[in-house]
Amino acid sequence: PIPYTQMKAGDTEAPYDNEQTVWHAMFDDLDNAITILKSAATFGVNQDLAVVDQFYKGDCSKWLKFANTLKLRMAIRISGVEYAQTKAEEAVLGGVMESVGDSSYDTTNGGINENGYAIVSGWPEVRANACLVSYMNGYNDPRRSKYFVPSEWGEGYEYVGIRRSINRSTLGTDAHKYSGVNVAQGDPVVWMNAAEVAFLRAEAVAVFNFSGMGGTAHDFYKKGVELSFEQWGAGSATNYLDDAVSKPAIYNDPSGMNSYGSQLSAITIKWNDSDTPDVKQERIITQKWIANWMLGNEAWADFRRTGYPRLIPADPAGNKSGGVVDNELGARRMPFPTDEYISNKENVETAVSNYLNGKDNYATRVWWDCNFNIR
């Protein structure tokens, strides 16, 4: 719940809307924007916009695809609780991202012309995550060299990540030895990629039985992997997609301190139409997660919504929530900022009481996080 429909310019106080109201209003606002962009796209490149447009240089036809793609993403996000099919079908009919060239990149990185990940890549705590590397190692994924810098642990440990939520002190002075991120100073920041769109459509068909997506789940799944390989210059995806054997690797921490002895998942790569919807969803979300490298908010949203990908639980010693957050479930939302309890006290307290069952913490589920069978 957030202040949305009842906000007025200049006010520091505003009542909160429940989440369903917020989502309906966001769809309305997005649909209005789509109407405007559809009209603007007929006039070609907008030269006034091109001067300040860091993404598409004034090309409103590409912004229209972006808007429809965002609508599709939103529809799938609430697919467990709302009228998602109508919105998803409207988005696809309106035209979504289909090619790598449609993907959205901030080429100026907010005007500073320096990729934020490149700025912090030298910090020892900015390292690849053990879960992602374990999946990609097990799959022998050729995108590893595009995503990561080889580790400094020596033979047998070309790519190795750090386990999430461990106690930082267990790394000692060895943090720098783990694989870093392969990002150069001038690399663009990815906001949305065409591969994600293919996976959204695959899930819509395979899991939710949506019509009007324009193809089969298998076709979209295959296209999602192929688009990701193309985006990262990783060569042909044919052999990767034909692999029905490889599974995520077991995480063996070279330091000997934070290994995880169990296989994270039995999910393989090759599509199988006879699989159950649950298995299909795990396969789709796992590959979507890999393809959405650096889009952490989408990974978090999908994990909360579906329970996939399967991740190494937080280490109890690194869980600083005092028992509020479950080691396997992880944080479910961000609490409201302290300033709200000062500048908007009555409204935020009413929202917590009425919409969050009195609990404003990291473990409180949001409206669309409704799959209580997870884990």
Side-chain angles (χ1 to χ4, degrees), residues 24-36:
H24 284 204
M26 288 195 297
F27 273 117
D28 289 343
D29 287 344
L30 185 57
D31 283 339
N32 288 334
I34 287 171
T35 298
I36 294 169

Side-chain angles (χ1 to χ4, degrees), residues 72-321:
L72 178 62
R73 178 195 278 180
M74 289 169 61
I76 298 301
R77 181 74 54 83
I78 64 168
S79 53
V81 290
E82 258 290 3
Y83 62 125
Q85 181 170 354
T86 300
K87 291 300 181 183
E89 291 175 354
E90 288 174 358
V92 171
L93 184 63
V96 293
M97 294 177 181
E98 300 271 2
S99 67
V100 171
D102 292 332
S103 300
S104 177
Y105 302 89
D106 182 356
T107 55
T108 69
N109 303 319
I112 63 172
N113 295 309
E114 189 167 8
N115 190 297
Y117 282 102
I119 295 173
V120 300
S121 62
W123 299 0
E125 63 267 37
V126 180
R127 289 294 178 263
N129 179 268
C131 297
L132 181 59
V133 179
S134 294
Y135 274 84
M136 296 182 79
N137 280 344
Y139 294 153
N140 194 28
D141 195 316
R143 289 169 290 184
R144 285 176 297 174
S145 63
K146 308 297 181 180
Y147 291 7
F148 312 124
V149 174
S151 82
E152 300 173 18
W153 284 103
E155 187 176 353
Y157 293 103
E158 184 175 10
Y159 299 104
V160 56
I162 292 178
R163 181 175 170 180
R164 71 186 182 110
S165 295
I166 59 169
N167 190 321
R168 174 70 171 77
S169 64
T170 63
L171 297 176
T173 59
D174 289 332
H176 68 91
K177 293 184 179 180
Y178 296 83
S179 294
V181 293
N182 186 13
V183 181
Q185 181 174 343
D187 286 350
V189 174
V190 180
W191 283 75
M192 191 181 291
N193 61 71
E196 178 191 338
V197 186
F199 290 122
L200 287 168
R201 295 168 83 174
E203 187 181 6
V205 176
V207 180
F208 304 115
N209 295 314
F210 288 0
S211 58
M213 290 297 103
T216 68
H218 184 191
D219 288 342
F220 288 129
Y221 175 80
K222 178 174 178 286
K223 183 177 180 181
V225 174
E226 290 173 341
L227 284 169
S228 180
F229 271 55
E230 180 185 350
Q231 176 185 342
W232 292 99
S236 172
T238 300
N239 291 338
Y240 184 87
L241 284 164
D242 283 342
D243 187 346
V245 177
S246 297
K247 300 175 182 178
I250 292 174
Y251 178 60
N252 181 19
D253 184 359
S255 74
M257 295 294 294
N258 297 294
S259 296
Y260 186 70
S262 301
Q263 189 172 55
L264 288 173
S265 172
I267 201 68
T268 52
I269 301 168
K270 188 173 183 178
W271 185 261
N272 184 351
D273 270 324
S274 65
D275 282 332
T276 66
D278 283 344
V279 173
K280 290 177 180 177
Q281 187 176 47
E282 181 176 4
R283 181 167 285 122
I284 292 166
I285 296 299
T286 298
Q287 291 300 324
K288 179 185 176 186
W289 170 59
I290 295 172
N292 266 349
W293 165 238
M294 293 193 180
L295 293 177
N297 279 335
E298 288 311 301
W300 187 33
D302 280 338
F303 177 73
R304 288 179 289 165
R305 179 174 64 86
T306 69
Y308 305 125
R310 299 183 188 274
L311 304 175
I312 298 174
D315 182 72
N319 186 339
K320 305 299 184 182
S321 71

Side-chain angles (χ1 to χ4, degrees), residues 329-343:
L329 291 175
R332 311 310 288 186
R333 63 179 283 276
M334 296 291 287
F336 296 123
T338 302
D339 184 64
E340 273 294 277
Y341 286 94
I342 298 173
S343 62

